[in-house]
Amino acid sequence: MLDRNIAAEVLARAVKTGGDFAEIFLEDTTKSNIALKSGRIESMGTAREHGAGIRVFEGTKAIYVFTNDTSREGLMECAAQAAAAVRSGKGCTPVGFSHWSTARPEEIRILPADAEAARKAEKVRAANAAARAVSPEIVQVTCGFRDVTQDVLICNTEGVFVTDRRVLSRLMISAVASDGKENQTGSCNPGAGMGFEIFEERVDPEACGRLAAEKAVTMLHADSCPAGVYPVVIDGGFGGVIFHEACGHSLEATSVAYGISEFSGKLGQQIAAPCVTAVDDGTIPGEWGSTHIDDEGMPTSKLTLIENGILVNYMIDKLGGRRMNMAPTGSGRRESYQWAPTSRMRNTYIAAGTDDEAEMIATMGTGLYAKSMGGGSVNPATGEFNFSVEVGYWVEDGKILRPVRGASLIGKGGEVLMRIDRVGKKMTMAQGMCGSASGSVPVNVGQPMIRVSSLTVGGK
């Protein structure tokens, strides 16, 4: 993607005015998309994104400049612009590049470019038909399929010179059920770090279509959820979004390095119940949030964040490491060459525990079983959150009585972590896109079924 001699020349230009570190991130990405609405293919297209970003450090300050001109001249001009912003750095001598290749435990059997558009459209139509067949109350179905092939090259003045290919595929379904007076929506959006073989090995479009529609129909006939403070059981998979949003972001150097996280300065302290162990793992083959290397050229890692309730690690990028005087953890990520990297989550989950899922509900008394979570909002400085429950059930005397709708979960991340009193045996994950200071990146959230002893439930 880039000649080593040119890369060395560009890096030398970038630190010429005193920068003490420089990096090139070069990207060539192809994205394709199919969208179906009202039973018809509404759009289909392919886009290409190509360019490079150059980052220069001056102590704990960073300058980032990007361009879509990746010729020698374009990169030299980009490096000169970054160098011009350096005022009084100590400078550095670029190290010669070392050779290493990324380990690839998984094989991409069918690259997105090798799967014809007609085959992709066939999967989308199958999901649509299955969703509509669930009930005549399904009045609208939207389906989409996206795939991405991203080739990157990362090199820097510390001798890193590495390439990587990232392949992603995702099916997205949203179904609307209506009785003529009101509507309810259900969704299913599975994805993986795989090519078109995702449909042979992991995702059944018809099953996904039925699941989305059944969620919508169930909630159409549900009663309103009572409001109050109750025990809450949160199911696995996308239930992990609460940990991701209300706790995970507060463990990133992006907030910890500036002292604006509720967990700043708490390494070694108990921040969760002893039954809670939480992990951010970028090494899981074929997962939506996995990478072979991070966007700073470091090998990806499996990072335990909380072990038996004790905070043991933060997620740290290179610049955050300088500010925290700690080593980076392979957690630097960015949406594209147009964004400077920062610390981000990958596949983040609460690890499996030892509690029986049926006992968890049978002993909870009266409360809410949140079968499926929706979206929400979080104040990253305080961890205060408000999340909607996509599919919920009301529990009385330890028995699931009926579906309830309109429920929301309201709390504070640090407090909820201490109130988890059960962690189930089977951890599952779900896919999402996470937005933060370095753009939108694919992440998995996950957990086994957990129980929170008391939590504010919004409803009627």
Side-chain angles (χ1 to χ4, degrees), residues 340-418:
T342 190
S343 53
R344 304 293 295 272
M345 286 172 273
R346 299 161 298 189
N347 305 302
T348 310
Y349 57 88
I350 294 176
T354 59
D355 293 306
D356 180 79
E357 286 79 3
E359 183 272 345
M360 207 177 293
I361 290 177
T363 60
M364 70 182 289
T366 296
L368 177 69
Y369 168 35
K371 173 68 177 172
S372 175
M373 293 300 302
S377 60
V378 175
N379 181 334
T382 64
E384 294 170 321
F385 64 81
N386 187 326
F387 280 92
S388 65
V389 177
E390 185 183 31
V391 179
Y393 293 88
W394 193 245
V395 178
E396 286 187 11
D397 296 327
K399 296 181 176 59
I400 297 175
L401 288 189
R402 61 184 183 278
V404 290
R405 63 184 174 185
S408 59
L409 303 183
I410 303 161
K412 188 174 180 181
E415 293 175 355
V416 169
L417 283 176
M418 296 296 288

Side-chain angles (χ1 to χ4, degrees), residues 35-110:
L36 177 149
K37 188 174 183 180
S38 301
R40 303 175 62 180
I41 298 294
E42 191 172 56
S43 63
M44 180 181 295
T46 300
R48 184 180 176 196
E49 197 168 4
H50 180 92
I54 295 178
R55 184 170 61 153
V56 178
F57 286 176
E58 180 185 358
T60 56
K61 296 187 295 184
I63 301 101
Y64 194 71
V65 180
F66 63 88
T67 178
N68 58 11
D69 180 357
T70 58
S71 66
R72 175 191 172 279
E73 291 72 22
L75 293 174
M76 290 294 285
E77 174 59 25
C78 194
Q81 289 183 28
V86 176
R87 300 301 179 195
S88 57
K90 62 181 182 181
C92 71
T93 301
V95 176
F97 296 132
S98 58
H99 175 76
W100 64 284
S101 61
T102 56
R104 296 175 183 277
E106 82 280 12
E107 176 189 5
I108 304 299
R109 292 195 296 107
I110 309 174

Side-chain angles (χ1 to χ4, degrees), residues 250-252 256 263 266-268 271 278 302-307 310-316 324 326-327 329:
S250 298
L251 298 175
E252 294 171 335
V256 177
F263 301 123
K266 292 190 176 180
L267 273 180
I271 65 166
K302 180 178 181 180
L303 190 66
T304 299
L305 304 170
I306 301 169
E307 187 167 22
I310 306 297
L311 177 60
V312 294
N313 275 306
Y314 297 119
M315 292 165 279
I316 306 173
M324 297 165 67
M326 297 177 71
T329 56

